[in-house]
Amino acid sequence: MKFKTSLALTYFATISTLLASPLAQGSVVYNVAFDDPFGEFVSYYDKIETHVKAAGSLWEQYFTGNANLEVTIGFHDIPRVDGRSTTTSYLFNNGSYSVWQAGAASEINTGIDPNGATSDIEINFSNSTDYLANELWFDPNPFDNIVDVPSNKTDALSIFEHELGHALGFNGWTDSITGVLPGDYESSFDQYVIERDGGFFFIGANARAIYGGDVPLTSGNIMHIGNSGPLAGADLIPDLMNGVVFMRGMRYSISALDVAILQDTGLSPVPAPPALWLFISGLAAISLKIRKI
């Protein structure tokens, strides 16, 4: 089975203390290959590979395990970019559904590659050069991650962090409109999705502890968090894993809530971030151009 795949108030997790600490345990290696038969995007290969590895190193700080993850970068007829694990790994049966974990996450947890030499993660870009050439900004030193993002560009490193978040667990089979599963199976993310009050929410225990209640999922795009008003979750729009907008000129960071959600889906944290860190953020009025994800 495969997975389918003017804002004024900013609110995002401040995790600089966590990032400064040597939390990583184990080793996750990202091996990048390209599905580009005619070499149309060869000039972007080095930048993309470096950004995948830098984004992977940022996620690796929060989860223990070892894996060699094969990442395939493709170019297809899509609006911008999407990412996913290419396979899943069986966890258990809860009496109603068999529960499956994202294959990349399973490999990190167990060290066992569920699909052998086949690619573990796919990240696909639009086959139009416009998004890569004119919208994304590639940091000249993404591992340093300190240069200001131009106000008219979307940060490529943040995009790769976001798509790896989907590959690690922000994904499943629940229909974003009806809430219905296609069969007697669900992902480890799906198992915590409920519908109420006209919306969908994630109710994993770790996520609820960090957020202080059920986490609002993006309407019509429920493998993400946050919503525009009047729906619940406007405070989550600046989160890396939001499904509403990506703001130009902004560098996104992995939040304590993002980590907690992936912990609920089965990844082992190193260590679980304290709830306080989610809320050590300034509230500031900003005026930035926005770009839908």
Side-chain angles (χ1 to χ4, degrees), residues 24-264:
Q25 296 182 6
S27 176
V28 179
V29 177
Y30 291 81
N31 304 300
V32 180
F34 293 87
D35 179 13
D36 181 22
F38 301 105
E40 296 174 82
F41 298 91
V42 67
S43 62
Y44 294 96
Y45 287 7
D46 288 345
K47 292 177 181 179
I48 289 173
E49 181 173 2
T50 303
H51 279 67
V52 169
K53 292 180 177 181
S57 72
L58 292 171
W59 278 113
E60 187 184 357
Q61 295 177 95
Y62 304 105
F63 299 105
T64 182
N66 294 278
N68 278 282
L69 297 176
E70 311 301 326
V71 182
T72 298
I73 307 296
F75 305 91
H76 301 281
D77 187 17
I78 58 175
R80 286 176 288 276
V81 59
D82 62 41
R84 67 184 183 99
S85 271
T86 59
T87 191
T88 54
S89 184
Y90 177 77
L91 290 178
F92 56 86
N93 189 291
N94 61 18
S96 300
Y97 300 96
S98 59
V99 180
W100 298 75
Q101 185 178 31
S106 177
E107 185 171 344
I108 291 171
N109 278 350
T110 66
I112 300 171
D113 191 333
N115 62 347
T118 304
S119 180
D120 301 302
I121 296 172
E122 288 182 355
I123 298 176
N124 294 312
F125 285 93
S126 169
N127 56 11
S128 164
T129 58
D130 181 67
Y131 185 67
L132 282 168
N134 299 322
E135 181 60 35
L136 292 186
W137 175 75
F138 289 90
D139 193 326
N141 297 292
F143 284 95
D144 293 339
N145 199 18
I146 57 174
V147 180
D148 289 340
V149 181
S151 61
N152 64 340
K153 296 285 186 178
T154 299
D155 179 39
L157 182 60
S158 299
I159 293 295
F160 283 106
E161 289 177 77
H162 180 97
E163 299 309 333
L164 288 181
H166 287 303
L168 293 173
F170 278 79
N171 224 327
W173 296 282
T174 302
D175 188 281
S176 287
I177 305 301
T178 67
V180 174
L181 288 160
D184 59 353
Y185 54 89
E186 62 184 359
S187 75
S188 55
F189 186 98
D190 290 325
Q191 67 179 327
Y192 295 116
V193 175
I194 65 164
E195 184 178 6
R196 65 170 174 80
D197 302 329
F200 292 91
F201 295 81
F202 186 89
I203 60 169
N206 293 293
R208 293 187 82 255
I210 290 291
Y211 188 64
D214 299 349
V215 180
L217 299 175
T218 304
S219 178
N221 200 8
I222 64 172
M223 304 306 161
H224 299 80
I225 60 178
N227 287 290
S228 299
L231 298 175
D235 56 326
L236 294 173
I237 290 178
D239 192 278
L240 173 70
M241 297 309 299
N242 92 85
V244 182
V245 297
F246 249 49
M247 294 183 291
R248 292 172 175 157
M250 181 169 173
R251 187 185 301 281
Y252 288 77
S253 297
I254 298 163
S255 73
L257 180 58
D258 301 333
V259 174
I261 289 173
L262 289 185
Q263 182 183 355
D264 284 324

